[in-house]
Amino acid sequence: MKRATGLALLACGLLAAGSLPAATPRLEAFRRLLVLEQGRVKPLDTYARNLLRQISGGSSPAGLDAVAWMARVLFTPRETLDMKVFRVERSDVLPAIGIDNRGQGLYSFSDLRPGLNRLHGLAYRYAAAGAGRPGGFENEVMRLFRNISVYYGLLDAFAFSRPDGPMTGAAPREPAILPPGAGREEPWLVPAQAWARNAALPAAMQDEIALLADAARAYAAGDSLGFDRSLEKFNRSLRERLGPAAGRPWKVSLEIGYNRVAPFFKAGLAYGLALLLLLAAQFFQRRLLLKLSGLALLAGWLLHGVGILARMAIMGRPPVTSLYETFIFVSWAAAAMGLVMAWMRRQELGILAGAVAALALLVIAGGYGLDGDTMGMLAAVLDSNLWLAVHVVTIALGYAGCVFAGIIGHVAIIQALKRRPAAMARTADALPGILAFGLAFTAIGTLMGGIWADLSWGRFWGWDPKENGALLLIAWCAVLFHARLAGWIGRVGFAAGSVGALVVVALAWFGVNLLGLGLHAYGFTSGASRGLLAFILLELVFLAVAVPLARKGSRS
Amino acid sequence: MPDKTGFSISRRLRSLASLKLTVVLLLLLCFLVIAGTALQAESGLYAAQRAVFSSWLFLLFGVVPLPGMLTVALLLFINLLAAAAWRLQYRWRRAGLILLHYGLLLLIASGFVISLTAREYFLTLREGESGRSLTLADGRSGASLPFTLTLLDFEKALHPGTDIPKSFTSRVEIREGQARRRAVISMNRPLRLRGYTFYQSAYAEEEEGRESSTFSVVQGAGRRLPYFASAMLFLGLLLHWLAMIAAAMKKRQAPGAGSAL
């Protein structure tokens, strides 16, 4: 056991280290610039990655480092006009603004420039009319326009340092990297804004603006040493001027490290590897492959947990505060259940269910991560509070139990279909315990939520959609236990009911957020409703076809 | 024969404890929750409350009559009560399950107490304004407070550079006869006084930068009942879980003991 853990730690370290040397060293000080965006002070590293991800729709163009791209956009913007970074999701958007569809989904600013006037007109009309549904034409027009505007607003942020002056004539709006004072409430300034009112600013800020101008000129001249030195001086000056408000250096380093390692992506790879090894173990009947598969799951889980801890340290808040984080956390909890099950001598089943649940939830989280900064600020009503944090984590554990049971339910039904009644019975007999875990944690978490709601909103229960989702899950699990006790359902029925619990979890999780109402609707997203419907239909068809056949299979 | 009638009445009563009834009622509950949530998305919480969640009879699509949430809750209560009388096995190893079911009884009962006695009002004050008369959700005037509230100042803080609210805070003065004191009501920090609870609910900005603040005011009995019920449920789940673990350990040890012989 000790050796296995050691091996998993090693694998985890290798996974994390795999991406370290990628960055160009001379951008270190640039990466550490602080940017105020959407209420949060973050390293420019995070800002640049999020922006490029948002513009290019998740798949950054081959070989393009977000921070290097950002440096070029800010300091040598003309070089970036022909870089293909703008993702256009729908094929009918470009013809509508008079541009031919060429190549693969990614376009440069120069490609899009001839259509900008029309795009601008359309986007304003749609926005004024409040038009658009997720994934629709109007939304894509508005999204593309917004992305181009952000890019356009960056081009002249350092225009004052260039001999040829401004390119656009528009006032630059980002990045806000110059804090006017130590007060946290004042908006930070974009370098060009600060330059425009240079004389009115305190001497320390004037020096900082001069340092930024030096850095920009050094970059354009290819003087990487001068670039680095000026920005280092700038960062030091900010720290001296602002004190702790400038963000602690270790937190900046931690966040940059978190971005580089991408722990959840790597954890997903490890879970995928665990599944492949499990498949190979079935094929070749080797204990070693099975062991390696379990180690891959353990390594992924450790890295996953480190990622969650890093987020908690960076933001100084509990593990689950946003929709994105619910997926990350439930995924991690499901992997933990898989490990526990594997440790209790149910290796194949534990690894299979743990890795499938964890991987699927990480993939969903990745989709939500595209919406921008995953470490956004919280609205007042959800501001951090110990009781609330415990409530959310407890519910998340309950959901994890039900998801885990749902996947094992699938396995049991498939085993019955394959006419392996002994294996099926062994699988199905694990279900009541797991579902009871899910039920208990969901119930306790819901009650805690009720107490929190009473303390802060004045009612224990308000039929809010999110509360209803949890109640539905509790009632459904209670149905299963009582129907089993009454003899209405047997092993197959309970397995099918567990699959049903998975559907209910999906409804409680997404359906409620897709309704977009209530105090709990803290996340909103595009395109997920169709996925949800497809998933529910698929599961219902699976149950309708498989359960009658499985009934026969489990008896033979 | 009286003997036989007695027998059959008690049998009928006993059938109220039936597990199958539990399953049917829970399925109905599931259905009502889904229907009520969907209705809420379409025509708002108030309509959903009236049609499903606080109604005895629910007309599906306006035609098909189904029991409303109140009916289902009452029937579940009766079902649980009967189960407590005849079905639950009162043994130590079932202590968790027993506590769980009694906790549920209390939870349903407290739901009825709260929903039957609760009064919810609103109070809107502009900065500098005093008031004691409360309005109902539909805008009609409701009760009058036994004290006067004055809004001294309302403050709203946003996360810098965004429209995401960080906090809402109202500073108020409470006047009862000659006695005056100050208090702060903010998001998640209500003011409780003489059985009334004031929650920061909304705000508005008028011209000249004068702000107004709206409190939701709740009065009613049984506010603490769900806390007791929650404690019972929590303890029940914990005990039941421990009992299950103990049983599993016993089962695990049994074959080992056999092979030692």
Side-chain angles (χ1 to χ4, degrees), chain B residues 42 49 89 96-97 109 119 122 134 159 169 178 199-201 254:
Chain B
E42 210 172 280
Q49 295 256 19
Q89 299 164 9
L97 272 184
R119 302 275 178 278
F122 289 96
L134 305 170
H159 287 295
T169 310
Q178 293 305 309
Y199 301 88
Q200 182 70 54
S201 163

Side-chain angles (χ1 to χ4, degrees), chain A residues 55-297:
Chain A
I55 287 178
S56 64
S59 59
S60 68
L64 183 57
D65 175 60
V67 177
W69 170 76
M70 178 61 70
R72 294 173 72 180
V73 171
L74 292 178
F75 305 125
T76 55
R78 271 173 230 284
E79 287 178 16
T80 64
L81 296 178
D82 293 321
M83 292 173 87
K84 295 194 185 297
V85 291
F86 292 98
R87 163 86 48 193
V88 182
E89 300 277 4
R90 291 175 60 105
S91 57
D92 51 357
V93 169
L94 291 187
I97 57 170
I99 296 176
D100 294 336
N101 273 316
R102 282 171 291 133
Q104 281 296 314
L106 282 175
Y107 296 85
S108 70
F109 183 76
S110 304
D111 293 339
L112 298 168
R113 183 177 261 161
L116 284 188
N117 273 336
R118 284 199 213 176
L119 185 69
H120 179 260
L122 282 179
Y124 265 72
R125 201 175 338 136
Y126 295 149
R133 63 186 166 72
F137 174 77
E138 291 90 345
N139 265 30
E140 186 55 18
V141 165
M142 290 189 280
R143 195 185 71 86
L144 182 61
F145 179 68
R146 206 166 44 236
N147 287 344
I148 294 175
S149 312
V150 174
Y151 169 79
Y152 201 65
L154 287 171
L155 296 179
D156 279 339
F158 283 87
F160 58 89
S161 73
R162 291 198 296 264
D164 49 357
M167 291 168 63
T168 66
R173 280 172 301 180
E174 288 187 35
I177 60 174
L178 261 173
R184 303 212 67 173
E185 308 304 323
E186 286 170 85
W188 291 22
L189 300 177
V190 177
Q193 288 172 342
W195 175 263
R197 54 171 120 147
N198 200 355
L201 296 170
M205 281 187 76
Q206 291 187 17
D207 292 347
E208 284 163 9
I209 296 166
L211 283 171
L212 287 177
D214 287 348
R217 275 191 289 268
Y219 185 93
D223 168 17
S224 63
L225 214 66
F227 177 68
D228 250 8
R229 208 172 291 150
S230 302
L231 288 183
E232 262 164 32
K233 273 191 204 156
F234 173 82
N235 284 339
R236 205 175 315 134
S237 164
L238 269 197
R239 275 203 297 279
E240 279 161 16
R241 190 155 65 84
L242 294 188
R248 302 192 183 280
W250 70 265
K251 275 197 184 180
V252 175
S253 307
L254 182 62
E255 186 165 344
I256 292 174
Y258 167 87
N259 290 338
R260 266 187 201 159
V261 171
F264 303 133
F265 178 71
K266 300 262 167 60
L269 288 185
Y271 297 145
L273 181 67
L275 286 176
L276 282 180
L277 286 168
L278 186 66
L279 193 72
Q282 295 298 305
F283 218 68
F284 300 113
Q285 294 290 328
R286 289 278 160 82
R287 297 295 302 169
L288 179 68
L289 286 171
L290 190 60
K291 209 167 219 172
L292 285 176
S293 166
L295 283 180
L297 181 62

Side-chain angles (χ1 to χ4, degrees), chain A residues 36-40 184-187 344-345 377-383 385 432-433 436-437 439-441 443-444 447-448 450-460 462-465 468-469 471-472 475-476 478-479 482-486 488 507 512 515 517-518, chain B residues 19-24 26-27 29-31 33-34 36-38 40-42 45 49 53-54 69 87 101 107 114 157-162 164-168 186-190 192 197 199-200 216 218 223-224 226-227 229-231 233-234 237-238 241 244 252:
Chain A
L36 176 68
E37 190 214 8
Q38 299 191 348
R40 184 165 87 85
R184 303 212 67 173
E185 308 304 323
E186 286 170 85
M344 289 167 72
R345 301 183 187 190
M377 302 313 279
L378 300 173
V381 71
L382 295 175
D383 205 353
N385 163 315
F437 176 91
L439 170 61
F441 276 84
I444 292 171
L447 291 170
M448 293 172 112
I451 291 173
W452 183 71
D454 182 65
L455 290 173
S456 49
W457 304 334
R459 86 285 188 294
F460 188 88
W463 303 106
D464 179 281
N468 294 351
L471 176 63
L472 185 64
W476 179 252
V479 164
H482 290 93
R484 189 173 74 119
L485 210 58
W488 270 4
L507 267 180
V512 165
L515 289 176
L517 48 86
Chain B
L19 274 170
K20 293 180 179 172
L21 180 62
T22 314
V23 172
V24 170
L26 284 172
L27 283 173
L29 177 76
C30 289
F31 179 78
V33 168
I34 294 173
T37 314
Q40 189 176 343
E42 210 172 280
L45 180 59
Q49 295 256 19
F53 297 132
S54 357
M69 194 58 88
R87 195 162 48 76
H101 284 83
L107 193 64
I114 288 174
L158 298 177
H159 287 295
T162 67
I164 306 172
K166 193 174 169 194
S167 65
F168 304 113
S186 69
M187 211 79 193
N188 301 349
R189 294 225 165 134
R192 298 183 204 282
T197 313
Y199 301 88
Q200 182 70 54
S216 79
V218 182
R223 204 178 77 86
R224 292 287 171 197
Y227 287 56
S230 298
L233 286 166
F234 179 73
L237 281 167
L238 192 71
W241 209 32
M244 269 173 37
R252 245 191 175 186

